[in-house]
Amino acid sequence: MIRYIRRAAGFCLILLVALLLNATRVQVFDADSLDNNSANRRQTIARYDQPRGDILVDGKTVTGSRNTNEQLKYERTYTEGPLYAPVTGYASQTYGTTLIENAEDGILSGTDSMLSTLPLINELTRAQQPGGDVASTIQADMQKAAYEGLGGKKGAVAAIEPTTGRILALVSTPSYDPGRISGTDTSSTRAWTSLNSDTNQPMLNRAIRQLYPPGSTFKVVTAAGILDNGVATDINSATDTPNPYTLPGTTFQLTNESSSDQCKNATLLYAFEVSCNTVFAKLGVDVGLSGMVKTAENFGFNDTGVKIPSGVSASNFDTKMSNDHLAQSCIGQYNTSATPLQMAMVAAAVANDGQIMYPHLVDKTMRSNGGTVSETGTKDYRQAMTVTTATQLKTMMEAVVTDGTGTNAAIGGATVGGKTGTAQNGIDNSGTPYAWFISYAQKSDSNTPAVAVAVVVEDASANRSDVSGGGNAAPIAKAVMEAALN
């Protein structure tokens, strides 16, 4: 009898060990896969069971959370949502997250282990810390100046502090209110459908995700290539450039907007002031493809890895093309394309003696009690050109504002450099051109530039003859620069 009892007890022990092993497998080895199973709503419920941390502009919150008294308790809200949407992105219980809401989701949702004051406490207790805050680099007055300047037209503005890379304004219009799609109700669904079907694409972040032909603003890059490669050394000396210029290997004659013949053999300074296509196309071909590719990539073109912390679309300068296409590319046409942020970096490189600092949108992240979790330090990105070339380009860009096509950007008591651009658009250039202006501003009594700005306006309702970088985009850049200087 005792023998049978022992056998039964042994069998029960085996079953107990098997049960413990299975429990261990489920709780330890399979925990992550079960947590991440789409059918498991525990994590989702826990995620929205507390208020989300906030995104700050100038130390003030531009986001919030409201108690819905539903299973997913707290829903994201936005202060001045359309103004800051290109910065914050959205945090939706249905559609996920974008931009800062996505890049800093761990901090904002309270799931980042760095929020804990004790190492590994989150992993051991599986607890969720209160959501932390994210301080952006955006300056409210500059953001508003850019947003109001665009006035709802299709376009974008990017502004950078040249010496640090801090992004001071990032605007895309038309915009949208991210709070409309925060929840799970039918109104959020309807808003999502409406926003995605809108032909104006209000959810497209044109400042960092839309590529435009940069037009004549690219002549800043071409001028850097011309000077750095010794094709021209003195910006006040005549160049050997015809007007019109026959593109290499073709019979096509490139002309200039101006009907005068003063672009023929013009100095680099004059050609830059009045934006002679023929001069920059011809001299860009003289630099050669490899030289121009190297120069463009020194400014950040073709870089697919830029994050601010959200990903930025790579601006393009073709690495393989014939000389006729190279000529067109050197005046910002053919396949050359750029984001407004990229062109702000071009202007910043000139203002900062040729050095580009890595652009960033997050200043620091913090715990709910205000303690710092991380800070974004200043970091070198590229040396776009020599200091000597940058000095010459400053002279050229400042001449555009004092004597050339960018006089609408002049500001009393400040040194302003700029470059206008009117990029062709549409089949056979039948569409309304894009109006560009890139610039920088520095107080007359300061040793460092205050801001570099890029503005692009793509207003399909405007009369073609009225669209120009100097007329449409320069006043917007001026308003942003004034806000920075003040």
Side-chain angles (χ1 to χ4, degrees), residues 322-360:
S322 57
N323 278 342
D324 59 321
H325 290 156
L326 175 59
Q328 293 173 295
S329 296
C330 288
I331 58 172
Q333 297 292 345
Y334 186 52
N335 286 338
T336 304
S337 59
T339 62
L341 179 63
Q342 172 66 74
M343 296 313 296
M345 292 163 65
V346 168
V350 177
N352 196 39
D353 297 327
Q355 179 68 50
I356 304 177
M357 309 308 292
Y358 202 97
H360 59 279

Side-chain angles (χ1 to χ4, degrees), residues 332-468:
Q333 297 292 345
Y334 186 52
N335 286 338
T336 304
S337 59
T339 62
L341 179 63
Q342 172 66 74
M343 296 313 296
M345 292 163 65
V346 168
V350 177
N352 196 39
D353 297 327
Q355 179 68 50
I356 304 177
M357 309 308 292
Y358 202 97
H360 59 279
L361 191 54
V362 171
D363 188 25
K364 63 179 178 179
T365 61
M366 301 166 288
R367 299 182 181 88
S368 59
N369 62 7
T372 298
V373 175
S374 66
E375 291 186 89
T376 306
T378 298
K379 184 170 67 172
D380 290 346
Y381 175 59
R382 302 276 173 87
Q383 184 70 36
M385 66 197 111
T386 65
V387 174
T388 301
T389 293
T391 301
Q392 291 175 295
L393 268 168
K394 284 180 186 176
T395 300
M396 294 162 68
M397 290 184 72
E398 288 161 18
V400 168
V401 176
T402 56
D403 303 310
T405 57
T407 54
N408 282 340
I411 300 171
T415 300
V416 178
K419 184 69 188 81
T420 56
T422 306
Q424 304 301 323
N425 174 40
I427 299 174
D428 295 327
N429 299 331
S430 59
T432 302
Y434 300 131
W436 276 96
F437 192 73
I438 65 173
S439 59
Y440 63 84
Q442 180 173 326
K443 285 186 177 181
S444 298
D445 58 355
S446 175
N447 294 322
T448 57
V451 67
V453 183
V455 178
V456 63
V457 180
E458 44 164 321
D459 186 8
S461 66
N463 293 323
R464 185 184 179 95
S465 60
D466 292 339
V467 178
S468 68

